[in-house]
Amino acid sequence: MNTPDLFAAPEGGVEAIADGAVLLRGFVLDAATALLAEIERVAEAASFRHMVTPGGYEMSAAMTNCGTAGWTTDRSGYRYERLDLKTGNAWPPLPEAFMDLAGRAAADAGYAGCTPDACLINRYAPGAKLSLHQDRDEADFTAPIVSVSLGLPATFLFGGPRRADRPQRIVLQHGDVVVWGGPARLFYHGVAPLKDGVHPATGRIRYNLTLRKAL
Ligand code: MD6
Ligand code: FE
């Protein structure tokens, strides 16, 4: 007998969550320690901060960026900025390990030749959340977004093209990657308030990396 199919994809392989969006369970488990070290290095140069929405609300997730441009919000709007307005410096470069995983994940999901130029890093403490939104500040919607979850699990809310579409609830675990593009690229999504807990790799924290083609 040949090897049973059960063993073909030890981490569960590729799960379609919508036309254009794919969940790769455990895709970065091997690289998680290295990725966390890179997050720490980025944060030494560009520290996590709670940005303010155009409406004046402080976001509950803390954020920083690396790459050519960084996603930014303040009273004047949502946008990408080449400089970290907190330091006046360029954002730290995209680590090789981020580029590598984005290329491999996108290829597995059917988006070949994906070259991100920006990575938003979100840090969630217990209770932090992200309201339903679209990612539409990027110049080019033909490129997918690669999203990496590290640390505590979170419930990802994955809706549809209209804000009122009832979202699916998908629990994202340490090491999971979602690749998101094509017909789903502008779908509404968010993150439910983080449940308290302790993860061996991060303690009481969840990190999320979203690699994008911003410019
Ligand atoms: C998060 N992620 O998981 C927030 N956006 O913490 C996002 O907002 C997101 O995961 C676009 C594509 C994938 C994502
Ligand atoms: Fe998003």
Side-chain angles (χ1 to χ4, degrees), residues 120 122 124 130 133 135 145-149 154 156 172 178 180 185 187 189-191 206-210 212:
L120 171 65
N122 292 154
Y124 297 80
L130 198 59
H133 66 279
D135 285 26
I145 294 180
V146 175
S147 163
V148 179
S149 293
F156 194 57
L172 297 179
V178 178
W180 176 300
R185 178 63 181 73
F187 278 19
H189 59 280
V191 178
R206 170 180 184 256
Y207 292 105
N208 174 261
L209 311 175
T210 45
R212 301 113 184 274

Side-chain angles (χ1 to χ4, degrees), residues 6-104:
L6 264 181
F7 301 112
E11 295 298 340
V14 182
E15 274 173 53
I17 57 179
D19 191 12
V22 154
L23 170 56
L24 306 167
R25 290 248 183 236
F27 190 82
V28 295
L29 271 181
D30 293 350
T33 307
L35 298 177
L36 288 166
E38 295 290 4
I39 292 171
E40 213 161 291
R41 271 176 33 150
V42 168
E44 279 166 20
S47 57
F48 283 99
R49 79 288 307 262
H50 294 274
M51 296 186 195
V52 174
T53 66
Y57 293 98
E58 189 175 276
M59 299 187 76
S60 59
M63 299 179 178
T64 187
N65 291 279
C66 52
T68 311
W71 188 81
T72 300
T73 176
D74 58 19
R75 291 303 299 231
S76 56
Y78 302 123
R79 63 204 182 271
Y80 283 90
E81 288 279 355
R82 287 176 180 269
L83 302 182
D84 175 355
L85 301 182
K86 190 173 168 183
T87 62
N89 298 326
W91 297 100
L94 265 183
E96 193 86 39
F98 288 15
M99 297 288 285
D100 174 69
L101 87 83
R104 289 186 301 112

